[in-house]
Amino acid sequence: MQTTTDLTKAGRPTEEALRRYRDQGFVHFKSVLPADEVAVFRAAADRLLAEEGPQTWGASEEQAQVHYVEAAWRKHPDLCRLALHPAVTGLAESLAGGPLRLYGTDVLKKEPRVHLPTVVHDDEPGLPLAGLTRTLTAWIPLVDVPADRGCLVYVPGSHRRPEEHRQVHLAGFQDYRPMEEVWPEFPFSPRVAVPMRAGDVVFHDFRTVHMAAVNTDGERRLAFAAVYMDSDATYRPGVQDHPVAHLKPGAPVDGELFPLIAAGPGGAS
């Protein structure tokens, strides 16, 4: 099994890492962040969850799949540092192959034997953005996430399924269709679970289908997710568009609320 040393060199993804991301739609890097930094980020996430009163992802608290705090990078300086951490952003830009902006971040908490499985989805339909070709998500565990703690599960190669099998954009939640209906081959597609240690990072393309099981472990799952979008993305009204609803349709999504990320040691050249 390859280690993080095999997948990075001088802070940049190796050709093997780029191939995995291109072919599978996700790639897992181990030990990207040192333990002392992770401890700082975990404490910031804990404090934010306690102070904010997290939102519920689900129709009701009884149907919650996860608790979250959105725009976390704007609400705590240490989480801002994590969202713009050069070890993370450098890998992101290299994988994307072009300049990126930070779109949004969430602190995510999945309680043991409380929260339901995270539904099968990809990130494209819920993003109120147009002009996307290289947008991706960095998912960073702040505690160890073994398989039974609700680790992410991916469908390899699903980001490359044909247009007619993609739910490209949701103008409203009423447009949602189950994955089995959108993509008939979904029930027969292989899945890959990605258990992770605190400080690892998994990146996935915005079109990669993923999910997470129930947390059956005795400890909660705590993670930080950052979406990095194409630097020239524009606003397209749809669901979950409150971060950009102040813009006119077609306007560029830029400015201090959506900063360009620094390429860092692993950035695109």
Side-chain angles (χ1 to χ4, degrees):
M1 179 178 293
Q2 289 196 310
T3 67
T4 186
T5 304
D6 298 312
L7 294 180
T8 61
K9 185 176 182 180
R12 301 177 68 93
T14 62
E15 286 301 317
E16 172 62 15
L18 293 171
R19 183 195 66 78
R20 291 190 191 186
Y21 181 73
R22 180 176 61 250
D23 293 348
Q24 298 187 359
F26 67 95
V27 62
H28 172 198
F29 296 100
K30 298 180 180 180
S31 304
V32 174
L33 301 171
D36 57 341
E37 288 192 70
V38 173
V40 172
F41 300 143
R42 182 170 59 246
D46 283 333
R47 180 171 180 177
L48 197 59
L49 283 164
E51 292 178 348
E52 286 285 315
Q55 296 174 269
T56 298
W57 184 259
S60 66
E61 187 61 38
E62 292 72 25
Q63 296 177 302
Q65 301 165 37
V66 70
H67 279 153
Y68 69 100
V69 176
E70 65 180 353
W73 76 279
R74 300 183 202 168
K75 298 174 179 178
H76 197 290
D78 288 328
L79 297 179
C80 176
R81 187 161 61 90
L82 175 54
L84 300 174
H85 198 294
V88 177
T89 59
L91 290 170
E93 280 210 332
S94 283
L95 293 172
L100 300 170
R101 292 183 181 275
L102 177 62
Y103 175 70
T105 62
D106 293 318
V107 168
L108 303 164
K109 180 180 70 165
K110 200 172 188 72
E111 293 288 358
R113 301 181 179 87
V114 173
H115 291 138
L116 299 178
T118 304
V119 296
V120 177
H121 67 288
D122 64 287
D123 297 338
E124 183 177 23
L127 291 172
L129 304 170
L132 303 185
T133 60
R134 55 183 180 270
T135 294
L136 74 170
T137 296
W139 200 89
I140 306 169
L142 301 178
V143 298
D144 289 347
V145 182
D148 59 357
R149 200 171 285 177
C151 73
L152 294 187
V153 178
Y154 291 103
V155 179
S158 53
H159 63 308
R160 299 192 299 176
R161 65 194 187 280
E163 184 84 20
E164 63 267 25
H165 294 159
R166 299 209 320 259
Q167 185 160 261
V168 176
H169 181 63
L170 296 181
F173 284 110
Q174 71 278 359
D175 296 334
Y176 175 79
R177 296 162 59 203
M179 187 61 66
E180 293 84 350
E181 183 180 337
V182 176
W183 186 20
E185 287 302 305
F186 168 71
F188 304 96
S189 301
R191 278 86 159 150
V192 175
V194 184
M196 301 173 70
R197 297 282 190 180
D200 291 0
V201 182
V202 64
F203 292 91
H204 64 255
D205 184 274
F206 69 119
R207 291 173 175 156
T208 302
V209 175
H210 56 286
M211 63 209 84
V214 172
N215 179 358
T216 59
D217 188 69
E219 301 293 332
R220 66 176 182 164
R221 191 197 78 180
L222 185 66
F224 181 86
V227 175
Y228 301 106
M229 64 179 175
D230 298 53
S231 60
D232 54 356
T234 57
Y235 172 43
R236 175 172 55 178
V239 302
Q240 302 172 353
D241 61 354
H242 53 281
V244 286
H246 61 287
L247 299 174
K248 293 182 178 180
V253 182
D254 56 15
E256 63 180 12
L257 296 180
F258 307 99
L260 284 166
I261 65 172
S269 57

